Each structure stands twice: as C-alpha cells, then as structure tokens.
Amino acid sequence: MLKEQVNYQPGQVVSKTLAQNEALSVTLFAFDRGEEVSTHKSDGDAFVTCLDGVGRITIDGVEHELTQGQSIVMPAGHPHAVYGKEQFKMLLVVVM
C-alpha cells in the first residue's frame, strides 16, 4: 500500500519523493503528532490526500481537517501550512 512506503518517526516530518520533474512533484509525508510544515507558498497547485490519521491544512488562514480518504487542493500562490493533529500521512502532488 502507498501509505506503507513512508514511516512515522518520533518528533519528525518524514518525506519520500516518488517522482519529480519540472512540471510535477509527487511526495509522501508522515507527520508525527504535533509536527508541522509552517506557512509557505508554492508556485504550483498542490493536491493533498490523507492516507492515514488526522491532519490540519490551513489555506489563507482557514483551517481544514483531513481524515483518511479526504483530499484538498492548495492553490498556487496562496499561503498554506500542514499540521499533524494526530499522526498523519499524506500524498502531495504539486503541478507547476
């Protein structure tokens, strides 16, 4: 299974790049509870799917909670952040 390709590590955000080129990036992430990627912007549109656990995605200051099977789009140029509300695995696809 896809979510088994990346493992939780205490106090860390772990990532594994599956594919990357000038037009596309596909990355798996495993967030330990309470870990985060702080607010930033991306040049490409980003599609996130929750593979396990519970995460909080903040886009333009608005919080969205994701659980397994749920997805959200983070539009290019908009500030966003990701937080592991519980342990949380996600698939991130960024299209430039």
Coordinates of all heavy atoms in Angstrom, one line a residue:
M1 N 0.8 -1.2 0.0 CA 0.0 0.0 0.0 C 0.9 1.2 0.0 O 2.0 1.2 0.5 CB -0.9 0.0 1.2 CG -1.9 -1.1 1.2 SD -3.0 -1.0 2.6 CE -4.2 0.2 2.0
L2 N 0.3 2.3 -0.6 CA 1.1 3.5 -0.7 C 1.5 4.1 0.7 O 2.7 4.5 0.9 CB 0.2 4.6 -1.4 CG 0.9 5.8 -2.0 CD1 2.0 5.4 -2.9 CD2 -0.1 6.7 -2.7
K3 N 0.6 4.1 1.7 CA 0.9 4.6 3.0 C 2.0 3.9 3.7 O 2.7 4.4 4.6 CB -0.3 4.8 3.9 CG -0.9 3.4 4.3 CD -2.1 3.7 5.2 CE -2.8 2.4 5.7 NZ -4.0 2.7 6.4
E4 N 2.3 2.7 3.3 CA 3.4 1.9 3.9 C 4.8 2.2 3.4 O 5.8 1.7 3.9 CB 3.1 0.4 3.8 CG 1.8 0.0 4.5 CD 1.4 -1.4 4.2 OE1 2.0 -2.1 3.4 OE2 0.4 -1.9 4.8
Q5 N 4.8 3.1 2.4 CA 6.1 3.5 1.8 C 6.9 4.5 2.6 O 8.0 4.8 2.3 CB 5.9 4.0 0.4 CG 5.2 3.0 -0.6 CD 6.1 1.8 -0.8 OE1 7.3 1.9 -1.1 NE2 5.6 0.6 -0.5
V6 N 6.2 5.1 3.6 CA 6.8 6.1 4.5 C 6.4 5.8 5.9 O 5.3 5.4 6.2 CB 6.5 7.5 4.0 CG1 5.0 7.8 4.2 CG2 7.3 8.6 4.7
N7 N 7.4 5.9 6.9 CA 7.1 5.5 8.2 C 7.2 6.7 9.2 O 7.9 7.7 8.9 CB 8.2 4.5 8.7 CG 8.1 3.2 8.0 OD1 7.0 2.7 7.8 ND2 9.2 2.7 7.5
Y8 N 6.4 6.7 10.2 CA 6.4 7.7 11.3 C 7.7 7.6 12.0 O 8.2 6.5 12.3 CB 5.2 7.5 12.3 CG 3.9 7.7 11.7 CD1 3.0 6.6 11.6 CD2 3.4 8.9 11.2 CE1 1.7 6.8 11.1 CE2 2.2 9.1 10.7 CZ 1.3 8.0 10.6 OH 0.1 8.2 10.1
Q9 N 8.2 8.8 12.4 CA 9.4 8.9 13.3 C 9.1 9.9 14.4 O 8.5 10.9 14.1 CB 10.6 9.4 12.5 CG 11.1 8.4 11.4 CD 11.7 7.1 11.9 OE1 12.3 7.1 12.9 NE2 11.4 6.1 11.1
P10 N 9.4 9.5 15.6 CA 9.1 10.4 16.7 C 9.6 11.8 16.5 O 10.8 12.0 16.2 CB 9.7 9.7 17.9 CG 9.8 8.3 17.6 CD 10.1 8.3 16.1
G11 N 8.8 12.8 16.7 CA 9.2 14.2 16.6 C 9.7 14.7 15.3 O 10.4 15.7 15.2
Q12 N 9.2 14.0 14.2 CA 9.7 14.4 12.9 C 8.6 14.4 11.8 O 7.6 13.8 12.0 CB 10.8 13.4 12.4 CG 12.0 13.4 13.2 CD 13.1 12.5 12.6 OE1 13.1 12.3 11.4 NE2 13.9 11.9 13.4
V13 N 8.9 15.1 10.7 CA 8.2 15.0 9.5 C 9.1 14.3 8.5 O 10.2 14.7 8.3 CB 7.8 16.4 8.9 CG1 7.1 16.2 7.6 CG2 7.0 17.2 9.9
V14 N 8.6 13.1 8.0 CA 9.4 12.3 7.1 C 8.8 12.4 5.7 O 7.6 12.3 5.6 CB 9.4 10.8 7.6 CG1 10.2 9.9 6.6 CG2 10.0 10.7 9.0
S15 N 9.6 12.5 4.7 CA 9.1 12.6 3.4 C 9.9 11.6 2.5 O 11.0 11.3 2.7 CB 9.2 14.0 2.8 OG 10.6 14.4 2.7
K16 N 9.2 11.2 1.4 CA 9.8 10.3 0.4 C 9.3 10.8 -1.0 O 8.1 10.7 -1.2 CB 9.4 8.9 0.6 CG 9.9 7.9 -0.4 CD 9.6 6.5 -0.1 CE 10.2 5.5 -1.1 NZ 9.8 4.1 -0.8
T17 N 10.2 11.2 -1.8 CA 9.8 11.7 -3.1 C 9.6 10.5 -4.1 O 10.5 9.6 -4.2 CB 10.9 12.6 -3.7 OG1 11.0 13.7 -2.8 CG2 10.5 13.1 -5.1
L18 N 8.5 10.4 -4.7 CA 8.2 9.3 -5.6 C 8.5 9.7 -7.1 O 8.8 8.8 -7.9 CB 6.7 8.9 -5.5 CG 6.3 8.4 -4.1 CD1 4.8 8.1 -4.1 CD2 7.1 7.3 -3.6
A19 N 8.3 11.0 -7.4 CA 8.5 11.4 -8.8 C 8.7 12.9 -8.7 O 8.1 13.6 -7.9 CB 7.4 11.1 -9.7
Q20 N 9.6 13.4 -9.5 CA 9.8 14.9 -9.6 C 10.5 15.3 -10.9 O 11.5 14.7 -11.3 CB 10.7 15.3 -8.4 CG 10.8 16.8 -8.3 CD 11.4 17.3 -7.0 OE1 11.8 16.5 -6.1 NE2 11.4 18.6 -6.8
N21 N 9.9 16.3 -11.5 CA 10.5 16.9 -12.7 C 10.0 18.3 -12.8 O 9.4 18.8 -11.8 CB 10.1 16.1 -14.0 CG 8.6 16.0 -14.3 OD1 7.9 17.0 -14.1 ND2 8.1 14.9 -14.7
E22 N 10.3 19.0 -13.9 CA 10.0 20.5 -13.9 C 8.5 20.8 -13.9 O 8.1 21.9 -13.6 CB 10.6 21.1 -15.2 CG 10.1 20.6 -16.5 CD 10.8 19.3 -16.9 OE1 11.7 18.8 -16.3 OE2 10.3 18.6 -17.9
A23 N 7.6 19.8 -14.2 CA 6.2 20.0 -14.2 C 5.4 19.4 -13.1 O 4.3 19.8 -12.8 CB 5.6 19.5 -15.5
L24 N 6.0 18.4 -12.3 CA 5.2 17.6 -11.4 C 6.1 17.2 -10.2 O 7.3 16.8 -10.4 CB 4.7 16.4 -12.1 CG 3.8 15.4 -11.3 CD1 2.5 16.0 -11.0 CD2 3.7 14.1 -12.0
S25 N 5.6 17.1 -9.0 CA 6.2 16.6 -7.9 C 5.2 15.7 -7.1 O 4.1 16.1 -6.9 CB 6.8 17.7 -7.0 OG 7.3 17.2 -5.8
V26 N 5.6 14.5 -6.8 CA 4.8 13.6 -6.1 C 5.6 13.1 -4.8 O 6.6 12.5 -5.0 CB 4.4 12.3 -6.9 CG1 3.5 11.4 -6.1 CG2 3.7 12.8 -8.2
T27 N 5.1 13.4 -3.6 CA 5.8 13.1 -2.4 C 4.9 12.6 -1.3 O 3.8 13.1 -1.2 CB 6.5 14.4 -1.9 OG1 7.2 15.1 -2.9 CG2 7.4 14.1 -0.7
L28 N 5.4 11.6 -0.6 CA 4.7 11.0 0.5 C 5.2 11.7 1.8 O 6.4 11.9 1.9 CB 4.9 9.5 0.7 CG 4.2 8.6 -0.4 CD1 4.7 7.2 -0.2 CD2 2.7 8.7 -0.2
F29 N 4.3 12.0 2.8 CA 4.8 12.6 4.0 C 4.2 11.8 5.2 O 3.0 11.3 5.1 CB 4.3 14.0 4.2 CG 5.0 15.0 3.3 CD1 4.6 15.3 2.0 CD2 6.1 15.7 3.8 CE1 5.3 16.2 1.3 CE2 6.8 16.6 3.1 CZ 6.4 16.9 1.8
A30 N 4.9 11.7 6.3 CA 4.5 11.1 7.5 C 4.8 12.2 8.6 O 6.0 12.4 8.9 CB 5.1 9.8 7.8
F31 N 3.7 12.7 9.2 CA 3.9 13.7 10.3 C 3.7 13.0 11.6 O 2.6 12.4 11.8 CB 2.8 14.8 10.2 CG 3.0 15.8 9.0 CD1 2.8 15.4 7.7 CD2 3.5 17.1 9.3 CE1 2.9 16.3 6.7 CE2 3.7 18.0 8.2 CZ 3.4 17.5 6.9
D32 N 4.6 13.2 12.6 CA 4.3 12.7 13.9 C 3.3 13.7 14.5 O 3.2 14.9 14.1 CB 5.6 12.7 14.8 CG 5.4 11.9 16.0 OD1 4.5 11.1 16.1 OD2 6.2 12.1 17.0
R33 N 2.6 13.3 15.5 CA 1.6 14.2 16.2 C 2.3 15.4 16.6 O 3.4 15.4 17.3 CB 1.0 13.4 17.4 CG -0.1 14.3 18.1 CD -0.7 13.5 19.2 NE -1.7 14.4 19.8 CZ -2.7 13.9 20.5 NH1 -2.7 12.6 20.8 NH2 -3.6 14.7 21.0
G34 N 1.7 16.6 16.3 CA 2.2 17.9 16.7 C 3.3 18.5 15.8 O 3.7 19.6 16.0
E35 N 3.7 17.7 14.8 CA 4.7 18.2 13.8 C 4.1 19.0 12.7 O 2.9 18.7 12.4 CB 5.6 17.1 13.3 CG 6.4 16.4 14.4 CD 7.4 17.4 15.1 OE1 8.1 18.1 14.4 OE2 7.4 17.3 16.3
E36 N 4.8 19.9 12.1 CA 4.2 20.7 11.1 C 5.2 21.2 10.0 O 6.4 21.2 10.2 CB 3.5 21.9 11.7 CG 4.5 22.9 12.3 CD 3.7 24.1 13.0 OE1 2.7 24.5 12.5 OE2 4.2 24.5 14.1
V37 N 4.6 21.6 8.9 CA 5.3 22.4 7.9 C 4.7 23.8 8.0 O 3.5 24.0 7.8 CB 5.2 21.8 6.5 CG1 5.8 22.8 5.5 CG2 5.8 20.5 6.4
S38 N 5.5 24.8 8.4 CA 5.0 26.1 8.6 C 4.5 26.8 7.4 O 4.7 26.3 6.2 CB 6.0 27.0 9.3 OG 7.1 27.1 8.5
T39 N 3.8 27.9 7.5 CA 3.1 28.6 6.4 C 4.1 29.0 5.3 O 5.2 29.6 5.6 CB 2.4 29.9 6.9 OG1 1.5 29.5 7.9 CG2 1.7 30.6 5.8
H40 N 3.8 28.7 4.1 CA 4.6 29.0 3.0 C 3.7 29.1 1.7 O 2.5 28.8 1.8 CB 5.7 27.9 2.8 CG 5.2 26.6 2.5 ND1 4.6 25.8 3.5 CD2 5.1 25.9 1.4 CE1 4.2 24.6 3.0 NE2 4.5 24.7 1.7
K41 N 4.3 29.5 0.6 CA 3.6 29.5 -0.7 C 4.3 28.6 -1.7 O 5.5 28.3 -1.5 CB 3.5 30.9 -1.3 CG 2.7 31.9 -0.4 CD 2.8 33.3 -1.1 CE 2.0 34.3 -0.2 NZ 2.0 35.6 -0.8
S42 N 3.5 28.1 -2.6 CA 4.1 27.2 -3.7 C 3.8 27.9 -5.0 O 2.7 28.5 -5.2 CB 3.4 25.9 -3.6 OG 3.8 25.1 -4.7
D43 N 4.7 27.6 -6.0 CA 4.5 28.1 -7.4 C 3.5 27.3 -8.1 O 3.0 27.7 -9.2 CB 5.8 28.2 -8.1 CG 6.7 29.2 -7.5 OD1 6.3 30.2 -6.9 OD2 8.0 29.1 -7.7
G44 N 3.2 26.1 -7.6 CA 2.3 25.2 -8.3 C 1.0 24.9 -7.5 O 1.0 25.1 -6.3
D45 N 0.0 24.4 -8.2 CA -1.2 24.0 -7.5 C -0.9 22.6 -6.8 O -0.2 21.8 -7.4 CB -2.4 23.7 -8.4 CG -2.9 25.1 -9.0 OD1 -3.0 26.0 -8.2 OD2 -3.2 25.1 -10.2
A46 N -1.3 22.5 -5.5 CA -1.0 21.3 -4.8 C -2.2 20.5 -4.4 O -3.2 21.1 -3.9 CB -0.2 21.7 -3.5
F47 N -2.2 19.2 -4.6 CA -3.3 18.3 -4.3 C -2.9 17.4 -3.1 O -1.8 16.8 -3.3 CB -3.7 17.5 -5.5 CG -4.8 16.5 -5.3 CD1 -6.1 16.9 -5.2 CD2 -4.5 15.2 -5.1 CE1 -7.1 15.9 -4.9 CE2 -5.5 14.2 -4.9 CZ -6.8 14.6 -4.8
V48 N -3.6 17.4 -2.0 CA -3.2 16.6 -0.9 C -4.3 15.6 -0.6 O -5.5 15.9 -0.6 CB -3.1 17.5 0.4 CG1 -2.9 16.6 1.6 CG2 -1.9 18.4 0.2
T49 N -3.9 14.3 -0.4 CA -4.8 13.3 0.0 C -4.3 12.7 1.3 O -3.2 12.3 1.4 CB -4.9 12.1 -1.0 OG1 -5.5 12.7 -2.2 CG2 -5.8 11.0 -0.6
C50 N -5.2 12.6 2.3 CA -4.9 11.9 3.6 C -4.9 10.4 3.4 O -5.9 9.9 3.0 CB -5.8 12.4 4.7 SG -5.5 11.6 6.3
L51 N -3.8 9.8 3.8 CA -3.6 8.3 3.7 C -3.9 7.7 5.0 O -4.2 6.5 5.1 CB -2.3 8.0 3.1 CG -1.9 8.5 1.8 CD1 -0.5 8.2 1.4 CD2 -2.9 8.0 0.7
D52 N -3.7 8.4 6.1 CA -3.7 7.8 7.5 C -3.8 9.0 8.5 O -3.2 10.0 8.3 CB -2.5 7.0 7.7 CG -2.6 6.2 9.0 OD1 -3.6 5.5 9.3 OD2 -1.6 6.2 9.8
G53 N -4.5 8.7 9.6 CA -4.5 9.7 10.7 C -5.4 10.9 10.4 O -6.3 10.9 9.6
V54 N -5.0 12.0 11.2 CA -5.7 13.3 11.1 C -4.8 14.4 10.9 O -3.8 14.6 11.7 CB -6.6 13.5 12.3 CG1 -7.4 14.8 12.2 CG2 -7.6 12.3 12.5
G55 N -5.0 15.2 9.9 CA -4.1 16.4 9.7 C -4.9 17.6 9.5 O -6.1 17.6 9.3
R56 N -4.3 18.8 9.8 CA -4.9 20.1 9.6 C -4.2 20.8 8.5 O -3.0 21.0 8.6 CB -4.9 20.8 10.9 CG -5.7 22.2 10.8 CD -5.8 22.9 12.2 NE -4.4 23.3 12.6 CZ -3.9 23.2 13.8 NH1 -4.7 22.7 14.8 NH2 -2.7 23.7 14.1
I57 N -4.9 21.2 7.5 CA -4.4 22.0 6.4 C -4.9 23.4 6.5 O -6.2 23.6 6.6 CB -4.8 21.4 5.0 CG1 -4.5 19.9 4.9 CG2 -4.1 22.2 3.9 CD1 -3.1 19.5 4.9
T58 N -4.1 24.4 6.6 CA -4.5 25.8 6.7 C -4.2 26.5 5.4 O -3.0 26.5 4.9 CB -3.8 26.5 7.9 OG1 -4.0 25.8 9.1 CG2 -4.3 27.9 8.0
I59 N -5.2 27.1 4.7 CA -5.1 27.8 3.5 C -5.6 29.1 3.6 O -6.8 29.3 4.0 CB -5.8 27.0 2.3 CG1 -5.3 25.6 2.2 CG2 -5.6 27.8 1.0 CD1 -6.1 24.7 1.3
D60 N -4.9 30.2 3.4 CA -5.3 31.6 3.5 C -5.9 31.8 4.9 O -6.9 32.5 5.1 CB -6.3 31.9 2.5 CG -5.7 32.0 1.1 OD1 -4.6 32.4 0.9 OD2 -6.5 31.7 0.1
G61 N -5.3 31.2 5.9 CA -5.8 31.3 7.3 C -7.0 30.5 7.7 O -7.4 30.6 8.9
V62 N -7.5 29.7 6.8 CA -8.7 28.9 7.1 C -8.3 27.5 7.3 O -7.6 26.9 6.4 CB -9.8 29.0 5.9 CG1 -11.0 28.1 6.2 CG2 -10.2 30.4 5.7
E63 N -8.7 26.9 8.4 CA -8.3 25.5 8.8 C -9.2 24.5 8.2 O -10.5 24.7 8.2 CB -8.2 25.4 10.3 CG -7.1 26.2 10.9 CD -7.0 26.0 12.4 OE1 -7.9 25.3 13.0 OE2 -6.1 26.6 13.0
H64 N -8.7 23.4 7.7 CA -9.4 22.3 7.2 C -8.9 21.0 7.8 O -7.7 20.8 7.7 CB -9.3 22.2 5.6 CG -9.6 23.5 4.9 ND1 -10.9 23.8 4.5 CD2 -8.8 24.5 4.6 CE1 -10.9 25.0 3.9 NE2 -9.6 25.5 4.0
E65 N -9.7 20.2 8.4 CA -9.2 18.9 8.9 C -9.4 17.8 7.9 O -10.5 17.7 7.3 CB -10.0 18.6 10.2 CG -9.5 17.5 11.0 CD -10.2 17.3 12.3 OE1 -9.9 18.1 13.2 OE2 -10.9 16.3 12.5
L66 N -8.4 17.0 7.7 CA -8.5 15.9 6.8 C -8.3 14.6 7.5 O -7.4 14.5 8.4 CB -7.3 16.0 5.7 CG -7.4 17.0 4.7 CD1 -6.2 16.8 3.7 CD2 -8.7 17.1 4.0
T67 N -9.1 13.6 7.2 CA -9.0 12.2 7.7 C -8.8 11.3 6.5 O -9.0 11.7 5.4 CB -10.2 11.8 8.5 OG1 -11.4 11.9 7.7 CG2 -10.4 12.7 9.8
Q68 N -8.5 10.1 6.8 CA -8.2 9.1 5.7 C -9.2 9.1 4.6 O -10.4 9.1 4.8 CB -8.1 7.7 6.3 CG -7.7 6.7 5.3 CD -7.4 5.3 5.9 OE1 -7.3 5.2 7.1 NE2 -7.3 4.3 5.1
G69 N -8.7 9.3 3.4 CA -9.5 9.3 2.2 C -10.0 10.7 1.7 O -10.5 10.8 0.6
Q70 N -9.8 11.7 2.6 CA -10.2 13.0 2.2 C -9.1 13.8 1.5 O -7.9 13.5 1.8 CB -10.7 13.8 3.4 CG -11.9 13.3 4.0 CD -12.4 14.1 5.2 OE1 -11.6 14.5 6.1 NE2 -13.7 14.3 5.3
S71 N -9.4 14.7 0.6 CA -8.5 15.4 -0.2 C -8.8 16.9 -0.2 O -9.9 17.3 0.1 CB -8.4 14.9 -1.6 OG -8.1 13.6 -1.7
I72 N -7.8 17.7 -0.5 CA -8.0 19.2 -0.6 C -7.0 19.7 -1.6 O -5.9 19.1 -1.8 CB -7.8 19.9 0.7 CG1 -8.4 21.3 0.7 CG2 -6.4 19.8 1.2 CD1 -8.6 21.9 2.1
V73 N -7.3 20.8 -2.3 CA -6.4 21.5 -3.2 C -5.9 22.8 -2.5 O -6.7 23.5 -2.0 CB -7.1 21.8 -4.5 CG1 -6.2 22.7 -5.4 CG2 -7.5 20.5 -5.3
M74 N -4.6 23.0 -2.6 CA -4.0 24.2 -2.1 C -3.5 25.0 -3.3 O -2.6 24.6 -4.0 CB -2.8 23.9 -1.2 CG -3.1 23.1 0.0 SD -1.8 22.7 1.1 CE -0.7 21.7 0.1
P75 N -4.2 26.1 -3.7 CA -3.9 26.8 -4.9 C -2.6 27.4 -4.9 O -2.1 27.9 -3.9 CB -5.0 27.8 -5.0 CG -6.1 27.4 -4.0 CD -5.4 26.6 -3.0
A76 N -1.9 27.5 -6.1 CA -0.6 28.1 -6.2 C -0.7 29.6 -5.7 O -1.7 30.3 -5.9 CB -0.2 28.1 -7.7
G77 N 0.3 30.0 -5.0 CA 0.5 31.4 -4.6 C -0.3 31.7 -3.3 O -0.2 32.9 -2.8
H78 N -1.0 30.8 -2.8 CA -1.8 31.0 -1.5 C -1.0 30.5 -0.3 O -0.5 29.4 -0.4 CB -3.2 30.4 -1.6 CG -4.1 31.1 -2.6 ND1 -5.1 31.9 -2.2 CD2 -4.1 31.0 -3.9 CE1 -5.8 32.3 -3.2 NE2 -5.2 31.8 -4.3
P79 N -0.9 31.3 0.7 CA -0.2 30.7 1.9 C -0.9 29.5 2.5 O -2.1 29.6 2.6 CB -0.2 31.9 2.9 CG -1.2 32.9 2.4 CD -1.4 32.6 0.9
H80 N -0.1 28.5 2.8 CA -0.7 27.3 3.4 C 0.3 26.7 4.4 O 1.5 26.9 4.3 CB -1.1 26.3 2.3 CG 0.0 25.9 1.4 ND1 0.3 26.6 0.3 CD2 0.9 24.9 1.5 CE1 1.3 26.0 -0.3 NE2 1.7 24.9 0.4
A81 N -0.2 25.8 5.3 CA 0.6 25.1 6.3 C -0.1 23.8 6.5 O -1.3 23.6 6.2 CB 0.7 25.9 7.6
V82 N 0.7 22.8 7.0 CA 0.3 21.5 7.3 C 0.7 21.1 8.7 O 1.8 21.3 9.1 CB 0.8 20.4 6.3 CG1 0.3 19.0 6.6 CG2 0.5 20.8 4.9
Y83 N -0.3 20.5 9.5 CA 0.0 20.2 10.9 C -0.6 18.8 11.2 O -1.7 18.4 10.8 CB -0.7 21.2 11.8 CG -0.7 20.9 13.2 CD1 0.5 21.2 14.0 CD2 -1.8 20.4 13.9 CE1 0.5 20.9 15.4 CE2 -1.7 20.2 15.3 CZ -0.6 20.4 16.0 OH -0.5 20.2 17.3
G84 N 0.2 18.0 11.9 CA -0.2 16.7 12.3 C -1.0 16.7 13.6 O -0.5 16.8 14.6
K85 N -2.4 16.8 13.4 CA -3.2 16.9 14.6 C -3.1 15.6 15.4 O -3.2 15.6 16.6 CB -4.7 17.1 14.1 CG -5.6 17.4 15.3 CD -7.0 17.9 14.7 CE -7.9 18.2 15.9 NZ -9.2 18.7 15.5
E86 N -3.0 14.5 14.7 CA -2.6 13.2 15.2 C -1.5 12.7 14.3 O -1.0 13.5 13.4 CB -3.7 12.2 15.2 CG -4.9 12.5 16.0 CD -6.1 11.5 15.9 OE1 -5.9 10.5 15.2 OE2 -7.1 11.8 16.4
Q87 N -0.9 11.5 14.4 CA 0.0 11.1 13.4 C -0.8 11.1 12.1 O -2.0 10.8 12.0 CB 0.5 9.7 13.7 CG 1.5 9.6 14.8 CD 2.1 8.2 14.9 OE1 1.5 7.2 14.7 NE2 3.4 8.2 15.3
F88 N -0.1 11.5 11.0 CA -0.8 11.9 9.8 C 0.1 11.6 8.6 O 1.2 12.0 8.5 CB -1.1 13.4 9.8 CG -1.6 14.0 8.6 CD1 -2.8 13.6 8.0 CD2 -1.0 15.1 8.0 CE1 -3.3 14.2 6.8 CE2 -1.4 15.8 6.9 CZ -2.6 15.3 6.3
K89 N -0.4 10.8 7.6 CA 0.3 10.5 6.4 C -0.5 11.1 5.2 O -1.7 11.0 5.2 CB 0.5 9.0 6.1 CG 1.4 8.4 7.1 CD 1.6 6.9 6.8 CE 2.6 6.3 7.8 NZ 2.8 4.8 7.4
M90 N 0.2 11.7 4.3 CA -0.4 12.3 3.2 C 0.4 12.1 1.9 O 1.6 12.0 1.9 CB -0.7 13.8 3.4 CG 0.6 14.7 3.4 SD 0.2 16.4 3.6 CE 1.6 17.2 2.8
L91 N -0.3 12.2 0.8 CA 0.3 12.2 -0.5 C 0.1 13.6 -1.1 O -1.0 14.1 -1.1 CB -0.4 11.2 -1.5 CG 0.0 11.2 -2.9 CD1 1.5 10.7 -3.0 CD2 -0.9 10.3 -3.8
L92 N 1.2 14.2 -1.5 CA 1.2 15.5 -2.0 C 1.6 15.5 -3.5 O 2.7 14.9 -3.9 CB 2.2 16.4 -1.3 CG 2.5 17.8 -1.8 CD1 1.2 18.7 -1.7 CD2 3.7 18.5 -1.2
V93 N 0.7 16.0 -4.4 CA 1.0 16.1 -5.8 C 1.0 17.6 -6.1 O 0.0 18.3 -6.0 CB 0.0 15.4 -6.6 CG1 0.3 15.5 -8.1 CG2 -0.1 13.9 -6.2
V94 N 2.1 18.1 -6.6 CA 2.2 19.5 -7.0 C 2.4 19.6 -8.5 O 3.3 18.9 -9.1 CB 3.4 20.2 -6.3 CG1 3.5 21.7 -6.7 CG2 3.3 20.1 -4.8
V95 N 1.6 20.4 -9.2 CA 1.6 20.6 -10.6 C 2.0 22.0 -10.9 O 1.4 22.9 -10.4 CB 0.3 20.3 -11.3 CG1 0.3 20.5 -12.8 CG2 -0.2 18.9 -10.9
M96 N 3.1 22.2 -11.6 CA 3.7 23.5 -11.9 C 3.0 24.1 -13.1 O 2.6 23.5 -14.0 CB 5.2 23.5 -12.1 CG 5.9 22.9 -10.9 SD 5.7 24.0 -9.5 CE 7.0 23.4 -8.5

